[in-house]
Amino acid sequence: MRAPARELFRDAAFPASDSSLFSSFSTPLAQFREEITWRRPQEICAAPQLFADRAQEGQVKQGLLGDCWFLCACAALQKSQHLLDQVFPPGQPSWLDQTYRGSFTCRVWQFGRWVEVTIDDRLPCLAGRLCFSRCQREDVFWLPLLEKVYAKVYGSYEHLWAGQVADALVDLTGGLAERWNLKDMAGTSGQQDRPRGAERRTCRQLLSLKDRCLLSCSVLRPRTGTRALGEFHAFIVSDLRELRGRAGQSIVLLRIQNPWGRRCWQGPWREGGEGWNRVESEAQSELLSQLQEGEFWVEEDEFLREFDEVTIGFPISEAGHLQSLCSGRALCHTQELPGAWVKGQSAGGCRNYSGFPSNPKFWLRVCEPSEVYMAVLQRPQLRTAGRPGRDYQAVGLHIWKVEKRRVSLPKALSAPPVAGTACHAYDREVHLRCELAPGYYLAVPSTFLKDMPGRFLLRVFSSGRVCLSAIQPAAAQSAAPREALPVGEWETVRLRGSWRVGRTAGGSRNFASYPTNPRFPLSVPEGAGPRCVRITLRQHCRDREVAIGFHVFQVPADGGGQDAPSLLLQEPLLSCVPHCYAQEVSRLCHLSEGTYWIVPSTYLPDTEGAFTVTVETRIDRRSIHSQEMLGQLLEEASFVAVMKA
């Protein structure tokens, strides 16, 4: 008796229908609406496989969808097995396995975390063949499956029509990507410090990076020479070679891969071109034999003339650490915090506006001399009408060196920053690199215009130990049942702890075991008078709430010769009691300069639980005024002419 056929997974959240293909029918893709069908890989070819045995067979090829930018980023995964395993977790079923159920799961990095995305393997086809991305061998399916995952993340295939290689690189690696403008390399930027004439050294800089990271190049503005390359089109730089010419001169050649899968460039280094007359015949034979479908060679001058920009993905070690593009050092220490620009509260605009100080602010503590990259990643806002894609604010980032215990924010923000982006750019993520000495730094991300709302993630990658904390606006922290904070700017510190039976669950001051409770130091710096401080204790109990409260004890300036237990047996300076059966309790108070202990406790001893103590300290400052520049509108890589296979 024949076994019943297995029921294959159908993804109701991303169905095989027009809703998954189109967002606004605003691209040339719409003309194929009636012709596109959905097929599983075993319905497309006889023996589908996820990955190819040889790298060349898994090479990316673009179909009817204008997502060359995404496909170029996918090529980064082919350079690194650990990056590929991170996106495509090992153990995926093959179509011949008993475990195959028609579904695949990938991971995509989204706004600070890796998100697992499961899809069914029904893929868009025209006349029985894949109509979007495919591999060099059409029975290899890792690329069209990953493209479907990415389309699901962004809402539809049509939403992938145009974009930035850098954005896709970050989504597939969780790292950083950098764009170099080949037409304007003479200036300097917040990321790199390039003197005039640096464009002549660009390709030689890339030589040292070619084996460690993905390199992509783009044509954005069409010129007479680039018509064969298309416009708003992204390519993969698959290799760079420095040769010695017949006359002894140095020649740098770049091997360019066109995702269209055809050799579209008839320059002097084409097969049979006059450029090869300048090198030995052995070199010509070797380099021409390496060309795969869609690849061609160009020389450095030709490259700088015909292409507009290069995108470089930062190398990532198998341990998951970014490596600096400048020094090659491992950026082993990372920190990140979310933030938001809120209209009327914390969207103060750039330094051209007096409201700049109201922007979100962050303390960065650098513990040892470090190479530091700081990045502001915007949360994307999908366009609701017109051409597909994502809209971003023009954003920038500035950093000031400060003495935290004696900082005067008005004075600090009026001084020139120690580092900053050259302009407010429309990129999804802007970042800057700097060498920082130990100490405290104040980081301020901002939009160019004031009252422009948005959410962002501030990321720090450093070669040395760093610590990042936020200064939260009052409106972002006020919530019932806490007492509302007065208007102003507030530094926020969160401390985690737990009560453990027989160790740190001492109960309330009614019990002799009280001094065994956890205690947290609080330092109030000197200033014009007492500081306004709010202390909040929040318990994390999944199945029940216990009675909680806290006391604050002042530590004598000289210690008073007292140990911790004897100090905790004295009267506290202030208390948040009686103990309440509440998820959180809070107290707003004014504390003078000095050192204090915060002691959270349950009412009864030996009551276990986890908790967070949040300390918010008000900071007073005045506004400033300066000058900032706005960057150019971002041009997205896509392709204009629809290719009919």
Side-chain angles (χ1 to χ4, degrees):
M1 190 173 174
R2 201 166 78 179
R6 289 172 292 178
E7 183 177 352
L8 299 180
F9 173 63
R10 290 173 173 263
D11 186 3
F14 198 68
S17 66
D18 282 357
S19 64
S20 299
L21 288 170
F22 304 104
S23 57
S24 60
F25 299 95
S26 59
T27 68
L29 186 63
Q31 66 184 282
F32 300 100
R33 178 179 182 182
E34 302 299 329
E35 304 174 51
I36 293 177
T37 60
W38 297 77
R39 298 190 180 191
R40 296 186 188 268
Q42 64 270 36
E43 299 169 337
I44 300 172
C45 64
Q49 52 186 319
L50 193 56
F51 298 106
D53 296 328
R54 297 190 305 145
Q56 298 93 321
E57 296 172 343
Q59 184 171 292
V60 303
K61 293 184 68 175
Q62 185 178 355
L64 294 175
L65 190 61
D67 62 348
C68 55
W69 58 282
F70 169 69
L71 302 184
C72 287
C74 289
L77 304 181
Q78 296 178 294
K79 297 172 72 75
S80 170
Q81 186 63 45
H82 73 273
L83 290 181
L84 183 60
D85 289 344
Q86 188 168 241
V87 172
F88 256 105
Q92 304 272 355
S94 79
W95 287 269
L96 298 179
D97 291 344
Q98 290 296 317
T99 56
Y100 169 71
R101 292 293 182 270
S103 66
F104 289 85
T105 298
C106 295
R107 288 193 288 251
V108 180
W109 191 88
Q110 292 285 283
F111 207 67
R113 64 189 183 96
W114 286 97
V115 178
E116 286 200 344
V117 183
T118 298
I119 56 166
D120 63 41
D121 59 357
R122 295 177 292 175
L123 298 169
C125 294
L126 274 176
R129 298 179 63 195
L130 292 169
C131 61
F132 297 150
S133 73
R134 56 189 180 273
C135 294
Q136 189 74 26
R137 276 188 54 171
E138 294 193 25
D139 59 354
V140 175
F141 286 92
W142 74 271
L143 182 63
L145 289 172
L146 182 56
E147 183 184 52
K148 183 174 183 179
V149 165
Y150 207 60
K152 181 176 179 178
V153 168
Y154 281 101
S156 71
Y157 278 94
E158 198 173 44
H159 270 130
L160 304 186
W161 188 266
Q164 290 291 324
V165 178
D167 296 347
L169 273 171
V170 172
D171 290 342
L172 296 180
T173 67
L176 288 176
E178 194 165 282
R179 294 167 53 232
W180 292 3
N181 188 332
L182 298 178
K183 305 307 177 195
D184 189 25
M185 296 290 291
T188 59
S189 70
Q191 300 101 294
Q192 305 91 23
D193 203 4
R194 301 194 190 97
R196 293 189 175 275
E199 70 277 6
R200 300 297 304 165
R201 299 192 297 273
T202 300
C203 295
R204 286 169 174 78
Q205 291 173 342
L206 297 180
L207 276 168
S208 64
L209 300 172
K210 67 170 185 174
D211 296 324
R212 297 192 293 130
C213 46
L214 176 106
L215 307 176
S216 174
C217 56
S218 300
V219 174
L220 300 176
R221 302 171 186 84
R223 294 174 299 281
T224 302
T226 59
R227 298 235 178 252
L229 298 176
E231 58 185 284
F232 302 105
H233 189 37
F235 301 78
I236 300 160
V237 181
S238 50
D239 196 10
L240 289 93
R241 291 294 185 91
E242 186 169 16
L243 308 177
R244 187 63 59 187
R246 293 180 186 271
Q249 77 278 29
S250 174
I251 300 174
V252 174
L253 295 180
L254 300 92
R255 193 168 91 215
I256 309 298
Q257 177 189 338
N258 186 351
W260 289 346
R262 64 172 185 249
R263 297 179 191 176
C264 55
W265 184 242
Q266 296 299 311
W269 295 90
R270 68 187 183 280
E271 190 169 359
E274 63 273 16
W276 298 108
N277 296 331
R278 297 163 54 193
V279 299
E280 299 294 339
S281 57
E282 293 83 1
Q284 174 184 354
S285 300
E286 177 196 355
L287 297 185
L288 288 177
S289 67
Q290 295 175 4
L291 292 178
Q292 303 295 319
E293 185 178 357
E295 291 186 328
F296 54 93
W297 290 98
V298 296
E299 193 179 356
E300 180 179 9
D301 287 344
E302 190 181 4
F303 176 74
L304 294 172
R305 181 176 66 250
E306 304 297 348
F307 292 88
D308 291 289
E309 68 178 25
V310 169
T311 300
I312 307 166
F314 279 53
I316 300 177
S317 69
E318 293 193 16
H321 299 143
L322 261 67
Q323 293 177 279
S324 167
L325 292 182
C326 295
S327 67
R329 282 186 287 183
L331 307 174
C332 301
H333 302 271
T334 62
Q335 296 274 303
E336 61 183 43
L337 282 175
W341 297 290
V342 180
K343 184 176 181 179
Q345 297 180 25
S346 60
C350 69
R351 299 177 75 222
N352 295 349
Y353 297 94
S354 59
F356 173 78
S358 66
N359 280 300
K361 289 167 291 299
F362 299 83
W363 292 123
L364 176 68
R365 182 186 179 189
V366 179
C367 302
E368 53 192 318
S370 302
E371 180 181 9
V372 177
Y373 285 81
M374 293 193 73
V376 180
L377 174 69
Q378 301 184 63
R379 183 177 284 278
Q381 302 175 16
L382 289 176
R383 300 180 182 128
T384 56
R387 65 189 180 95
R390 288 150 294 280
D391 284 324
Y392 303 105
Q393 305 286 351
V395 299
L397 174 66
H398 294 85
I399 304 174
W400 285 264
K401 179 76 168 66
V402 296
E403 294 292 336
K404 187 179 179 184
R405 290 180 62 86
R406 297 178 175 83
V407 65
S408 167
L409 282 178
K411 183 177 180 181
L413 293 177
S414 298
V418 297
T421 50
C423 66
H424 281 64
Y426 286 97
D427 298 79
R428 184 179 77 168
E429 185 168 43
V430 299
H431 70 267
L432 55 84
R433 172 194 173 273
C434 42
E435 297 280 350
L436 298 182
Y440 282 96
Y441 296 83
L442 180 67
V444 183
S446 61
T447 58
F448 183 74
L449 298 176
K450 65 179 180 179
D451 288 333
M452 301 300 290
R455 298 167 64 188
F456 65 87
L457 184 70
L458 182 64
R459 302 199 286 163
V460 179
F461 303 88
S462 175
S463 61
R465 291 176 294 116
V466 294
C467 183
L468 187 67
S469 60
I471 303 174
Q472 298 283 5
Q477 292 297 312
S478 58
R482 304 186 202 176
E483 182 180 354
L485 290 177
V487 176
E489 300 298 325
W490 296 75
E491 178 185 2
T492 302
V493 176
R494 291 183 176 85
L495 308 165
R496 294 185 179 273
S498 61
W499 298 291
R500 293 289 178 258
V501 172
R503 297 170 58 190
T504 59
S508 65
R509 297 180 69 237
N510 295 344
F511 301 93
S513 57
Y514 175 77
T516 65
N517 279 299
R519 57 184 182 273
F520 299 95
L522 167 63
S523 294
V524 177
E526 63 181 351
R531 294 290 184 97
C532 187
V533 178
R534 181 168 68 181
I535 304 170
T536 302
L537 171 64
R538 183 180 183 88
Q539 61 174 308
H540 307 293
C541 299
R542 296 182 178 179
D543 52 351
R544 74 193 195 287
E545 288 182 350
V546 299
I548 59 172
F550 64 82
H551 300 277
V552 177
F553 298 84
Q554 186 165 16
V555 180
D558 58 358
Q562 296 176 312
D563 55 14
S566 60
L567 179 61
L568 296 185
L569 292 176
Q570 298 185 14
E571 285 297 314
L573 178 70
L574 60 93
S575 303
C576 186
V577 291
H579 287 66
C580 299
Y581 286 94
Q583 188 175 27
E584 70 176 35
V585 293
S586 182
R587 175 75 188 269
L588 187 67
C589 57
H590 288 81
L591 298 178
S592 300
E593 174 191 355
T595 302
Y596 303 84
W597 279 347
I598 304 171
V599 182
S601 62
T602 58
Y603 181 71
L604 295 176
D606 291 334
T607 304
E608 290 207 331
F611 61 84
T612 299
V613 173
T614 302
V615 181
E616 296 158 290
T617 305
R618 179 172 173 169
I619 299 174
D620 297 314
R621 51 162 178 68
R622 58 181 177 81
S623 61
I624 57 143
H625 188 76
S626 183
Q627 283 294 320
E628 295 294 332
M629 296 186 300
L630 180 64
Q632 297 296 315
L633 285 171
L634 204 59
E635 295 180 280
E636 297 174 327
S638 175
F639 75 103
V640 175
V642 174
M643 295 170 47
K644 295 187 178 180

